């Protein structure tokens, strides 16, 4: 048996799968992750066990397990891996999309990732190579949202395609598949996911009017909106 690391209680000491209890920070993060995963279902962004959510605490990535309905997850079902994909917490098998999650954490400063099969976003992913600039909130995602070329789910190829689409962005569409967004927190990653789905719905709705073509913004207009968004909200 591999040597276990001591649990320090701050999320840095997870041992082999099921070998040690998570620290307080990991327990709290797992609760937040489960709540976010359930929210993707209640808000209609996923169906059944599709989609997945993860959050990074230190060098441990907590992630939803594969094939388990989110409403059945309990604190004892914590599922955690190291940044190289080794299981370090729990006995459940991590999501099949683990390569995508780890690719984000190893390539960006993200602390949370949300992947969904949202209806309108998935529909848009089959139509264009980039979401048209139908709304200035594209700026909140870093600019025009790209579509990552299709690859089989759970593969390194899909993770590589996703990373290229994410360059200088915080969200992307996955062709014939869904969405992926990341952020500094689970709330931020989720909000970006919801914003992307909303923009896709707006574009599809506007595009469906016979005889009319949606007015689009320029990249310069979106960039200027992005500057204003940097100061949005309470200090």
């Amino acid at each position: 048996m591999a040597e276990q690391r001591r649990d320090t209680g701050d999320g840095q000491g997870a041992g082999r799968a099921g070998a040690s209890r998570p620290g307080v920070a990991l327990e709290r993060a797992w609760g937040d992750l489960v709540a976010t995963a359930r929210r993707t279902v209640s808000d209609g962004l996923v169906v059944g066990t599709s989609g997945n959510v993860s959050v990074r605490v230190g060098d441990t990535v907590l992630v939803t397990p594969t094939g388990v309905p989110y409403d059945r997850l309990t604190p004892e079902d914590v599922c955690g891996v190291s940044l190289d994909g080794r299981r370090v917490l729990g006995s459940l098998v991590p999501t099949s999309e683990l390569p995508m999650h780890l690719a984000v954490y190893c390539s960006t400063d993200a602390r949370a990732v949300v992947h969904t099969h949202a209806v309108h976003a998935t529909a848009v992913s089959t139509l264009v190579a980039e979401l048209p600039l139908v709304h200035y909130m594209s700026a909140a995602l870093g600019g025009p949202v790209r579509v990552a070329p299709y690859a089989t789910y759970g593969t390194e190829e899909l993770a590589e395609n996703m990373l290229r689409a994410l360059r200088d962005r915080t969200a992307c569409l996955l062709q014939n598949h869904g969405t992926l967004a990341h952020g500094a927190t689970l709330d931020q990653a989720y909000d970006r996911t919801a914003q992307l789905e909303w923009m896709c719905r707006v574009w599809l709705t506007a595009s469906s009017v016979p005889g009319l073509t949606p007015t689009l913004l320029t990249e310069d207009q979106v960039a200027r909106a992005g500057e204003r968004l940097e100061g949005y909200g309470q200090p």
Side-chain angles (χ1 to χ4, degrees), residues 44-119:
L45 298 178
V46 303
V47 175
T49 59
S50 65
N52 25 79
V53 178
S54 69
V55 62
R56 179 175 176 177
V57 182
D59 290 333
T60 298
V61 175
L62 301 181
V63 63
T64 47
T66 185
V68 180
Y70 300 143
D71 60 359
R72 297 183 189 175
L73 291 175
T74 70
E76 288 70 37
D77 293 321
V78 61
C79 184
V81 301
S82 61
L83 290 172
D84 61 6
R86 291 179 298 107
R87 205 184 319 170
V88 295
L89 275 176
S91 59
L92 297 177
V93 177
T95 173
S96 57
E97 296 291 11
L98 186 61
M100 278 205 303
H101 290 260
L102 295 181
V104 172
Y105 293 121
C106 291
S107 303
T108 73
D109 59 359
R111 310 303 289 186
V113 174
V114 175
H115 164 52
T116 78
H117 293 179
V119 172

Side-chain angles (χ1 to χ4, degrees), residues 160-184:
E160 291 168 3
N161 291 351
M162 173 214 64
L163 280 182
R164 285 193 290 271
L166 273 181
R167 180 172 46 84
D168 301 322
R169 302 288 187 269
T170 55
C172 71
L173 297 172
L174 307 172
Q175 190 178 60
N176 294 84
H177 187 156
T179 71
L180 185 136
H182 65 76

Side-chain angles (χ1 to χ4, degrees), residues 137-149:
M137 282 304 290
S138 296
L141 305 180
V145 178
R146 307 182 187 100
V147 179

